[in-house]
Protein backbone atom coordinates (compact mmCIF):
# COMPACT_ATOMS: atom_id res chain seq x y z
CA UNK A 1 0.00 0.00 0.00
CA UNK A 2 1.31 3.47 -0.85
CA UNK A 3 1.56 6.16 1.84
CA UNK A 4 -1.43 8.51 1.77
CA UNK A 5 -0.59 11.63 -0.23
CA UNK A 6 -0.94 15.07 1.35
CA UNK A 7 -3.15 16.37 -1.44
CA UNK A 8 -6.06 15.26 -3.54
CA UNK A 9 -5.79 16.44 -7.15
CA UNK A 10 -9.15 16.73 -8.86
CA UNK A 11 -10.43 18.05 -12.16
CA UNK A 12 -13.54 20.17 -12.01
CA UNK A 13 -15.86 21.56 -14.67
CA UNK A 14 -15.31 25.30 -15.10
CA UNK A 15 -17.89 26.16 -17.76
CA UNK A 16 -20.31 24.51 -20.15
CA UNK A 17 -18.68 24.43 -23.58
CA UNK A 18 -20.62 25.64 -26.60
CA UNK A 19 -19.30 23.28 -29.24
CA UNK A 20 -15.88 21.70 -28.79
CA UNK A 21 -14.60 21.55 -25.18
CA UNK A 22 -11.25 23.27 -24.63
CA UNK A 23 -8.70 23.00 -21.84
CA UNK A 24 -10.36 26.09 -20.32
CA UNK A 25 -13.49 24.03 -19.74
CA UNK A 26 -11.62 22.23 -16.93
CA UNK A 27 -9.50 23.18 -13.90
CA UNK A 28 -7.04 21.05 -11.92
CA UNK A 29 -7.43 21.77 -8.20
CA UNK A 30 -5.64 20.52 -5.13
CA UNK A 31 -7.52 19.94 -1.90
CA UNK A 32 -6.67 17.94 1.18
CA UNK A 33 -7.31 14.20 1.15
CA UNK A 34 -10.80 13.73 2.65
CA UNK A 35 -11.22 11.93 5.98
CA UNK A 36 -13.67 9.08 6.47
CA UNK A 37 -16.43 8.38 9.01
CA UNK A 38 -17.83 5.08 10.25
CA UNK A 39 -19.36 3.14 7.34
CA UNK A 40 -17.13 4.82 4.74
CA UNK A 41 -14.07 3.93 2.66
CA UNK A 42 -11.34 6.10 1.14
CA UNK A 43 -10.69 5.17 -2.49
CA UNK A 44 -7.43 5.87 -4.31
CA UNK A 45 -7.91 6.04 -8.08
CA UNK A 46 -5.70 3.70 -10.06
CA UNK A 47 -7.34 3.91 -13.51
CA UNK A 48 -9.85 6.48 -14.78
CA UNK A 49 -12.07 5.71 -17.76
CA UNK A 50 -12.69 8.49 -20.31
CA UNK A 51 -15.92 8.03 -22.26
CA UNK A 52 -17.96 10.01 -24.79
CA UNK A 53 -20.99 10.25 -22.44
CA UNK A 54 -18.97 12.73 -20.34
CA UNK A 55 -19.52 15.34 -23.06
CA UNK A 56 -23.24 15.11 -22.30
CA UNK A 57 -22.60 15.64 -18.58
CA UNK A 58 -20.81 18.90 -19.40
CA UNK A 59 -24.04 20.24 -20.89
CA UNK A 60 -27.24 21.17 -19.09
CA UNK A 61 -29.41 20.29 -22.09
CA UNK A 62 -32.12 17.76 -21.14
CA UNK A 63 -30.74 14.22 -21.15
CA UNK A 64 -31.09 10.85 -19.43
CA UNK A 65 -28.69 11.83 -16.63
CA UNK A 66 -28.08 14.99 -14.59
CA UNK A 67 -25.25 17.30 -15.66
CA UNK A 68 -22.06 17.83 -13.66
CA UNK A 69 -22.50 21.07 -11.70
CA UNK A 70 -20.13 23.94 -12.44
CA UNK A 71 -17.23 23.66 -10.00
CA UNK A 72 -17.91 19.97 -9.32
CA UNK A 73 -15.54 17.08 -10.03
CA UNK A 74 -15.99 15.58 -13.50
CA UNK A 75 -17.90 12.33 -13.33
CA UNK A 76 -16.16 9.11 -14.34
CA UNK A 77 -15.80 5.41 -13.74
CA UNK A 78 -12.62 4.24 -12.05
CA UNK A 79 -10.73 1.24 -10.83
CA UNK A 80 -9.66 2.27 -7.35
CA UNK A 81 -7.90 0.75 -4.36
CA UNK A 82 -9.38 0.85 -0.86
CA UNK A 83 -6.86 3.00 0.98
CA UNK A 84 -8.71 3.30 4.31
CA UNK A 85 -11.81 1.48 5.54
CA UNK A 86 -14.32 2.01 8.33
CA UNK A 87 -16.81 -0.16 6.44
CA UNK A 88 -17.39 -3.80 7.47
CA UNK A 89 -17.51 -5.09 3.86
CA UNK A 90 -14.28 -3.55 2.53
CA UNK A 91 -10.66 -4.23 3.43
CA UNK A 92 -7.63 -2.05 2.77
CA UNK A 93 -5.94 -2.99 -0.49
CA UNK A 94 -9.04 -4.34 -2.24
CA UNK A 95 -9.63 -3.20 -5.81
CA UNK A 96 -13.06 -1.92 -6.76
CA UNK A 97 -14.90 -0.36 -9.69
CA UNK A 98 -16.54 2.90 -8.64
CA UNK A 99 -17.94 6.12 -10.09
CA UNK A 100 -15.42 8.18 -8.15
CA UNK A 101 -14.63 10.72 -10.86
CA UNK A 102 -11.60 12.60 -12.18
CA UNK A 103 -9.64 12.74 -8.92
CA UNK A 104 -6.99 10.96 -6.88
CA UNK A 105 -9.15 10.21 -3.83
CA UNK A 106 -12.84 9.85 -3.07
CA UNK A 107 -14.93 8.87 -0.07
CA UNK A 108 -17.63 6.24 -0.60
CA UNK A 109 -20.26 4.54 1.55
CA UNK A 110 -19.77 1.41 -0.56
CA UNK A 111 -23.02 1.68 -2.53
CA UNK A 112 -22.56 1.15 -6.28
CA UNK A 113 -18.99 0.00 -5.63
CA UNK A 114 -18.17 -3.40 -7.14
CA UNK A 115 -15.24 -5.44 -5.89
CA UNK A 116 -12.85 -6.98 -8.40
CA UNK A 117 -11.71 -10.57 -7.79
CA UNK A 118 -8.47 -10.65 -5.71
CA UNK A 119 -6.41 -12.29 -8.49
CA UNK A 120 -7.74 -10.17 -11.37
CA UNK A 121 -5.06 -10.11 -14.08
CA UNK A 122 -5.97 -6.84 -15.88
CA UNK A 123 -7.90 -4.59 -13.47
CA UNK A 124 -8.31 -1.86 -16.09
CA UNK A 125 -10.30 -4.23 -18.33
CA UNK A 126 -13.18 -3.66 -15.88
CA UNK A 127 -13.53 -0.22 -17.49
CA UNK A 128 -13.64 -1.64 -21.01
CA UNK A 129 -14.14 -5.11 -22.42
CA UNK A 130 -15.21 -6.47 -19.02
CA UNK A 131 -17.19 -3.39 -18.06
CA UNK A 132 -19.59 -0.78 -19.39
CA UNK A 133 -18.33 -0.66 -23.02
CA UNK A 134 -18.30 -4.47 -23.25
CA UNK A 135 -21.85 -4.64 -21.92
CA UNK A 136 -22.89 -1.96 -24.41
CA UNK A 137 -21.48 -3.85 -27.38
CA UNK A 138 -22.99 -7.18 -26.34
CA UNK A 139 -26.48 -5.96 -25.41
CA UNK A 140 -26.73 -3.54 -28.30
CA UNK A 141 -25.65 -6.00 -30.94
CA UNK A 142 -27.26 -9.23 -29.72
CA UNK A 143 -30.46 -7.96 -28.09
CA UNK A 144 -31.29 -5.20 -30.58
CA UNK A 145 -29.20 -5.93 -33.69
CA UNK A 146 -30.07 -9.65 -33.70
CA UNK A 147 -27.38 -10.57 -36.26
CA UNK A 148 -28.03 -13.70 -38.34
CA UNK A 149 -25.33 -15.87 -39.99
CA UNK A 150 -24.43 -14.59 -43.43
CA UNK A 151 -25.87 -11.12 -42.89
CA UNK A 152 -23.84 -7.95 -43.34
CA UNK A 153 -23.19 -5.93 -40.20
CA UNK A 154 -21.67 -2.46 -40.27
CA UNK A 155 -20.24 -0.78 -37.20
CA UNK A 156 -19.15 2.85 -36.85
CA UNK A 157 -16.22 3.96 -34.62
CA UNK A 158 -15.07 0.44 -35.40
CA UNK A 159 -11.76 0.40 -33.54
CA UNK A 160 -13.02 2.09 -30.36
CA UNK A 161 -13.98 0.57 -27.05
CA UNK A 162 -17.52 -0.39 -28.09
CA UNK A 163 -17.14 -0.72 -31.88
CA UNK A 164 -14.16 -3.09 -31.82
CA UNK A 165 -16.15 -5.50 -29.65
CA UNK A 166 -19.35 -5.15 -31.68
CA UNK A 167 -17.54 -6.18 -34.86
CA UNK A 168 -15.81 -9.13 -33.23
CA UNK A 169 -19.02 -10.41 -31.61
CA UNK A 170 -20.79 -10.08 -34.98
CA UNK A 171 -18.02 -12.22 -36.53
CA UNK A 172 -18.49 -14.83 -33.79
CA UNK A 173 -22.19 -14.88 -34.71
CA UNK A 174 -21.37 -15.52 -38.38
CA UNK A 175 -21.90 -12.06 -39.90
CA UNK A 176 -19.90 -10.44 -42.64
CA UNK A 177 -18.53 -7.36 -40.85
CA UNK A 178 -17.64 -3.98 -42.30
CA UNK A 179 -16.10 -1.38 -40.00
CA UNK A 180 -16.04 2.38 -40.44
CA UNK A 181 -13.10 4.14 -38.81
CA UNK A 182 -11.01 7.28 -39.05
CA UNK A 183 -7.78 6.66 -40.97
CA UNK A 184 -5.78 3.94 -42.69
CA UNK A 185 -4.00 2.73 -39.55
CA UNK A 186 -7.25 2.08 -37.68
CA UNK A 187 -8.78 0.35 -40.72
CA UNK A 188 -5.70 -1.86 -41.16
CA UNK A 189 -6.00 -2.93 -37.52
CA UNK A 190 -9.71 -3.72 -37.92
CA UNK A 191 -9.13 -6.06 -40.87
CA UNK A 192 -5.66 -7.35 -39.94
CA UNK A 193 -6.11 -7.91 -36.20
CA UNK A 194 -9.84 -7.93 -35.43
CA UNK A 195 -10.77 -10.05 -38.46
CA UNK A 196 -13.30 -7.66 -40.00
CA UNK A 197 -14.02 -8.40 -43.65
CA UNK A 198 -13.56 -4.77 -44.69
CA UNK A 199 -13.09 -1.37 -43.13
CA UNK A 200 -13.77 2.01 -44.74
CA UNK A 201 -12.12 5.28 -43.76
CA UNK A 202 -14.85 7.87 -43.15
CA UNK A 203 -12.35 10.62 -43.91
CA UNK A 204 -11.73 9.39 -47.47
CA UNK A 205 -13.02 11.67 -50.25
CA UNK A 206 -15.36 9.11 -51.77
CA UNK A 207 -16.46 7.56 -48.48
CA UNK A 208 -20.11 6.84 -49.49
CA UNK A 209 -19.02 5.06 -52.69
CA UNK A 210 -16.38 3.05 -50.82
CA UNK A 211 -18.89 2.01 -48.20
CA UNK A 212 -21.34 0.92 -50.92
CA UNK A 213 -18.59 -1.12 -52.58
CA UNK A 214 -17.77 -2.79 -49.26
CA UNK A 215 -21.44 -3.77 -48.77
CA UNK A 216 -22.50 -5.36 -52.09
CA UNK A 217 -25.49 -7.11 -50.45
CA UNK A 218 -26.58 -4.02 -48.50
CA UNK A 219 -26.62 -3.68 -44.71
CA UNK A 220 -28.70 -5.85 -42.37
CA UNK A 221 -27.43 -4.51 -39.03
CA UNK A 222 -25.99 -1.04 -38.59
CA UNK A 223 -24.55 -0.42 -35.12
CA UNK A 224 -24.73 3.36 -34.81
CA UNK A 225 -22.07 5.10 -32.72
CA UNK A 226 -21.49 8.22 -34.77
CA UNK A 227 -24.35 9.85 -36.74
CA UNK A 228 -23.74 12.74 -39.17
CA UNK A 229 -22.13 12.02 -42.51
CA UNK A 230 -21.43 8.39 -41.58
CA UNK A 231 -25.12 7.81 -40.96
CA UNK A 232 -26.06 9.58 -44.20
CA UNK A 233 -23.80 7.22 -46.16
CA UNK A 234 -25.30 4.17 -44.44
CA UNK A 235 -29.02 4.96 -44.95
CA UNK A 236 -29.24 4.25 -48.72
CA UNK A 237 -27.59 0.85 -48.16
CA UNK A 238 -29.99 -0.41 -45.49
CA UNK A 239 -31.87 -3.57 -46.45
CA UNK A 240 -35.53 -4.30 -45.85
CA UNK A 241 -36.05 -5.50 -42.27
CA UNK A 242 -32.63 -4.21 -41.19
CA UNK A 243 -31.95 -3.31 -37.56
CA UNK A 244 -30.18 -0.28 -36.10
CA UNK A 245 -29.03 -0.47 -32.49
CA UNK A 246 -28.73 3.26 -31.78
CA UNK A 247 -25.90 3.38 -29.28
CA UNK A 248 -24.35 6.82 -29.76
CA UNK A 249 -24.05 9.87 -32.01
CA UNK A 250 -20.60 11.13 -31.18
CA UNK A 251 -20.28 13.36 -34.24
CA UNK A 252 -23.16 15.45 -32.83
CA UNK A 253 -21.98 15.75 -29.22
CA UNK A 254 -19.96 18.91 -29.85
CA UNK A 255 -22.63 20.36 -32.13
CA UNK A 256 -24.32 23.20 -30.25
CA UNK A 257 -27.24 23.16 -32.73
CA UNK A 258 -28.37 19.79 -31.37
CA UNK A 259 -30.85 17.59 -33.19
CA UNK A 260 -30.97 17.04 -36.96
CA UNK A 261 -33.10 19.32 -39.11
CA UNK A 262 -36.68 18.28 -39.80
CA UNK A 263 -36.13 17.47 -43.46
CA UNK A 264 -33.39 14.91 -42.69
CA UNK A 265 -35.55 13.35 -40.00
CA UNK A 266 -38.60 13.10 -42.35
CA UNK A 267 -36.57 11.53 -45.10
CA UNK A 268 -35.11 8.95 -42.70
CA UNK A 269 -38.54 8.12 -41.30
CA UNK A 270 -39.73 7.44 -44.83
CA UNK A 271 -36.85 4.95 -45.25
CA UNK A 272 -37.74 3.35 -41.90
CA UNK A 273 -41.31 2.91 -43.09
CA UNK A 274 -40.80 1.57 -46.56
CA UNK A 275 -38.00 -0.79 -45.52
CA UNK A 276 -39.64 -1.81 -42.21
CA UNK A 277 -36.45 -0.96 -40.32
CA UNK A 278 -36.17 -1.37 -36.56
CA UNK A 279 -34.31 1.45 -34.81
CA UNK A 280 -33.63 0.85 -31.12
CA UNK A 281 -32.09 3.53 -28.94
CA UNK A 282 -30.66 2.14 -25.72
CA UNK A 283 -28.69 3.18 -22.64
CA UNK A 284 -26.66 0.36 -21.18
CA UNK A 285 -27.17 1.38 -17.56
CA UNK A 286 -30.88 0.44 -17.92
CA UNK A 287 -29.91 -3.23 -18.18
CA UNK A 288 -26.67 -3.36 -16.18
CA UNK A 289 -28.02 -4.78 -12.93
CA UNK A 290 -30.04 -7.58 -14.56
CA UNK A 291 -27.57 -8.64 -17.26
CA UNK A 292 -24.01 -7.94 -16.16
CA UNK A 293 -23.19 -11.39 -14.70
CA UNK A 294 -24.26 -13.24 -17.86
CA UNK A 295 -22.73 -10.76 -20.31
CA UNK A 296 -19.39 -10.34 -18.56
CA UNK A 297 -19.01 -14.14 -18.27
CA UNK A 298 -19.51 -14.49 -22.04
CA UNK A 299 -17.03 -11.70 -22.82
CA UNK A 300 -14.48 -13.11 -20.39
CA UNK A 301 -14.57 -16.54 -21.98
CA UNK A 302 -14.23 -15.14 -25.54
CA UNK A 303 -11.28 -13.07 -24.34
CA UNK A 304 -9.66 -16.09 -22.66
CA UNK A 305 -10.15 -18.21 -25.78
CA UNK A 306 -8.57 -15.49 -27.93
CA UNK A 307 -11.79 -15.02 -29.90
CA UNK A 308 -11.89 -11.31 -29.10
CA UNK A 309 -8.95 -8.92 -28.95
CA UNK A 310 -8.90 -5.79 -26.88
CA UNK A 311 -6.76 -2.68 -27.17
CA UNK A 312 -6.25 0.05 -24.58
CA UNK A 313 -5.00 3.57 -25.21
CA UNK A 314 -3.31 4.58 -21.94
CA UNK A 315 -2.66 8.20 -21.02
CA UNK A 316 -0.35 8.79 -18.04
CA UNK A 317 -1.29 11.32 -15.34
CA UNK A 318 -4.60 12.78 -14.14
CA UNK A 319 -3.48 16.22 -15.35
CA UNK A 320 -3.62 14.91 -18.94
CA UNK A 321 -7.25 13.76 -18.71
CA UNK A 322 -8.77 16.96 -20.20
CA UNK A 323 -6.61 16.92 -23.36
CA UNK A 324 -7.13 13.17 -23.75
CA UNK A 325 -10.89 13.64 -23.42
CA UNK A 326 -10.92 16.41 -26.04
CA UNK A 327 -8.96 14.03 -28.30
CA UNK A 328 -11.53 11.27 -27.78
CA UNK A 329 -14.14 13.53 -29.34
CA UNK A 330 -11.88 13.96 -32.40
CA UNK A 331 -10.76 10.36 -32.88
CA UNK A 332 -7.24 10.77 -31.45
CA UNK A 333 -7.69 7.69 -29.24
CA UNK A 334 -6.91 4.26 -30.67
CA UNK A 335 -8.70 1.72 -28.47
CA UNK A 336 -10.33 2.12 -25.06
CA UNK A 337 -9.13 5.40 -23.56
CA UNK A 338 -8.04 5.16 -19.92
CA UNK A 339 -5.90 7.33 -17.67
CA UNK A 340 -3.21 5.88 -15.46
CA UNK A 341 -3.83 8.08 -12.44
CA UNK A 342 -0.83 6.81 -10.58
CA UNK A 343 -2.10 4.87 -7.61
CA UNK A 344 0.33 2.01 -7.01
CA UNK A 345 -0.66 -0.64 -9.51
CA UNK A 346 -1.33 -4.09 -8.19
N1 LIG B 1 -25.87 3.86 -25.32
C1 LIG B 1 -24.99 3.56 -24.37
O1 LIG B 1 -25.33 3.08 -23.28
C2 LIG B 1 -23.53 3.78 -24.66
C3 LIG B 1 -22.54 3.26 -23.80
C4 LIG B 1 -21.19 3.44 -24.17
C5 LIG B 1 -20.87 4.16 -25.32
N2 LIG B 1 -21.85 4.67 -26.08
C6 LIG B 1 -21.56 5.40 -27.33
O2 LIG B 1 -20.78 4.55 -28.15
C7 LIG B 1 -19.97 5.34 -29.01
C8 LIG B 1 -18.54 4.86 -28.91
O3 LIG B 1 -18.08 5.05 -27.58
P1 LIG B 1 -16.66 4.45 -27.11
O4 LIG B 1 -16.59 4.61 -25.66
O5 LIG B 1 -16.49 3.12 -27.71
O6 LIG B 1 -15.65 5.48 -27.76
P2 LIG B 1 -14.49 5.15 -28.81
O7 LIG B 1 -15.12 4.55 -30.02
O8 LIG B 1 -13.41 4.40 -28.12
O9 LIG B 1 -13.94 6.59 -29.13
C9 LIG B 1 -14.72 7.52 -29.83
C10 LIG B 1 -14.47 7.39 -31.35
O10 LIG B 1 -15.51 8.04 -32.03
C11 LIG B 1 -15.05 8.42 -33.31
N3 LIG B 1 -15.44 9.80 -33.59
C12 LIG B 1 -15.26 10.87 -32.81
N4 LIG B 1 -15.74 11.97 -33.42
C13 LIG B 1 -16.21 11.56 -34.62
C14 LIG B 1 -16.84 12.23 -35.70
N5 LIG B 1 -17.07 13.55 -35.68
N6 LIG B 1 -17.19 11.49 -36.77
C15 LIG B 1 -16.95 10.16 -36.81
N7 LIG B 1 -16.37 9.48 -35.81
C16 LIG B 1 -16.00 10.19 -34.72
C17 LIG B 1 -13.53 8.31 -33.29
O11 LIG B 1 -13.15 7.15 -34.01
P3 LIG B 1 -12.60 7.27 -35.53
O12 LIG B 1 -11.23 7.87 -35.43
O13 LIG B 1 -12.61 5.86 -35.97
O14 LIG B 1 -13.55 8.15 -36.24
C18 LIG B 1 -13.22 8.12 -31.82
O15 LIG B 1 -12.05 7.36 -31.62
C19 LIG B 1 -20.19 6.79 -28.57
O16 LIG B 1 -21.15 7.38 -29.40
C20 LIG B 1 -20.74 6.65 -27.16
O17 LIG B 1 -21.50 7.77 -26.77
C21 LIG B 1 -23.17 4.51 -25.77
Amino acid sequence: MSAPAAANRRIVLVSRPQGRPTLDSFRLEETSVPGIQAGEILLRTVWLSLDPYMRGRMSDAPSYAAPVEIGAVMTGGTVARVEQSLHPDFRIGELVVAMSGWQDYAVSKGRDVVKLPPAVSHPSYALGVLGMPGMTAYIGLLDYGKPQPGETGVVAAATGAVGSLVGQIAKIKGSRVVGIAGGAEKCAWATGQLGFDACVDHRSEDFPARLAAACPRGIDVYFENVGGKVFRAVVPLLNAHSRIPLCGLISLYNDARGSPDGETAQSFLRTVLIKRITVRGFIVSDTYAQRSAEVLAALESWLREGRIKYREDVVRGLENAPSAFIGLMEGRNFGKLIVDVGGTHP
Side-chain angles (χ1 to χ4, degrees), residues 200-215:
V200 185
D201 179 357
H202 64 77
R203 298 210 192 97
S204 55
E205 282 272 307
D206 48 352
F207 165 62
R210 285 181 190 227
L211 184 65
C215 303

Side-chain angles (χ1 to χ4, degrees), residues 50-53 132-133 136 157-163 180-182 186 202-203 225-226 230 246-251 253 282-285 328-333 335-337:
L50 293 180
D51 299 276
Y53 75 81
M132 184 275 283
T136 304
T159 62
V162 174
I180 300 172
K186 288 184 176 181
H202 64 77
R203 298 210 192 97
N225 282 326
V226 164
V230 170
L246 175 46
C247 174
L249 295 166
I250 194 168
S251 76
Y253 295 172
F282 71 99
I283 300 296
V284 70
S285 51
L328 177 72
M329 307 305 296
E330 297 169 352
R332 272 193 270 131
N333 65 306
K336 172 70 192 102
L337 184 59

